[in-house]
């Protein structure tokens, strides 16, 4: 009907059958930014946010988020991730925090959704822990940077 893999011939939502796909090492990296004010940047760097160690809590939340992707996104396959890595880059000049999530596994389907979920849950946790200091924070530029594995091989977003 539509050429979309999550729609069947009757136009209904459909979980893709991956049982005949080959197992390969698959990896994806997603990125997102939290735009903040100077007060938030200083409080995080000086470890004086009232709710605790912001980056440590957000990292754990992001890892948990990536692992729970299939519980949140209806047609995603539950995956046995072998690695989830959350990294932060405090970019003071741009008044933002960059979050990168890398997910990896040996499996039959890609891990882009898990990486995106990891980034989003990390950003949401940063927001939650810092909202008293800056309720106007914004999550921006969330997307997949690169992926590899499967039949499409390596893909990288242009203009990273």
């Amino acid at each position: 009907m539509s050429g979309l893999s999550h729609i069947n011939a009757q136009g209904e939502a459909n979980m893709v059958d991956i049982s005949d796909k080959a197992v390969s090492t698959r990896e994806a990296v997603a990125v997102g930014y939290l735009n903040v004010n100077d007060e938030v940047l200083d409080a995080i760097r000086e470890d004086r946010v009232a709710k605790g160690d912001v980056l440590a809590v957000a990292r754990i939340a992001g890892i948990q988020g990536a692992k729970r992707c299939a519980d949140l996104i209806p047609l995603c396959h539950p995956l046995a991730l072998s690695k989830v890595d959350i990294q932060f880059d405090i970019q003071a000049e741009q008044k933002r925090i960059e979050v990168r999530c890398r997910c990896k596994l040996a499996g039959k389907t890609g891990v882009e959704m898990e990486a995106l979920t990891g980034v989003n849950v990390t950003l949401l946790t940063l927001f939650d822990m810092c909202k008293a200091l800056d309720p106007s924070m914004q999550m921006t530029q969330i997307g997949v940077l690169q992926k590899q594995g499967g039949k499409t091989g390596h893909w990288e977003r242009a203009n990273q």
Side-chain angles (χ1 to χ4, degrees):
M1 171 174 179
S2 70
L4 299 174
S5 62
H6 286 79
I7 304 293
N8 68 15
Q10 293 76 40
E12 302 162 334
N14 175 52
M15 185 174 183
V16 176
D17 182 358
I18 61 170
S19 55
D20 292 333
K21 290 176 79 175
V23 172
S24 67
T25 299
R26 295 163 184 266
E27 186 172 348
V29 178
V31 67
Y33 298 89
L34 184 66
N35 297 331
V36 301
N37 64 23
D38 288 327
E39 185 179 4
V40 170
L41 290 174
D42 291 342
I44 290 173
R45 282 190 295 232
E46 297 166 10
D47 195 24
R48 57 178 176 77
V49 175
K51 291 187 176 185
D53 186 340
V54 172
L55 299 182
V57 173
R59 178 175 281 120
I60 292 168
I63 292 167
Q64 286 298 105
K67 290 167 49 177
R68 300 293 302 264
C69 179
D71 294 333
L72 301 169
I73 311 296
L75 300 176
C76 283
H77 295 85
L79 301 179
L81 296 171
S82 58
K83 179 67 176 172
V84 178
D85 181 50
I86 305 286
Q87 294 297 317
F88 301 99
D89 182 15
I90 295 176
Q91 301 174 346
E93 286 187 21
Q94 293 93 351
K95 294 187 180 188
R96 67 185 188 183
I97 302 167
E98 179 186 86
V99 174
R100 286 186 185 229
C101 178
R102 180 174 70 91
C103 292
K104 187 176 181 180
L105 61 62
K108 296 182 174 197
T109 192
V111 291
E112 300 90 32
M113 294 308 299
E114 287 71 16
L116 286 165
T117 302
V119 162
N120 278 286
V121 172
T122 302
L123 291 168
L124 287 166
T125 303
L126 290 171
F127 188 100
D128 179 53
M129 294 189 74
C130 299
K131 66 186 177 219
L133 299 172
D134 182 7
S136 69
M137 294 178 289
Q138 290 186 329
M139 296 172 274
T140 65
Q141 300 175 359
I142 299 163
V144 176
L145 288 179
Q146 60 180 308
K147 70 172 220 64
Q148 52 192 352
K151 68 179 180 182
T152 58
H154 183 79
W155 173 88
E156 196 166 311
R157 186 170 79 192
N159 305 321
Q160 295 188 54

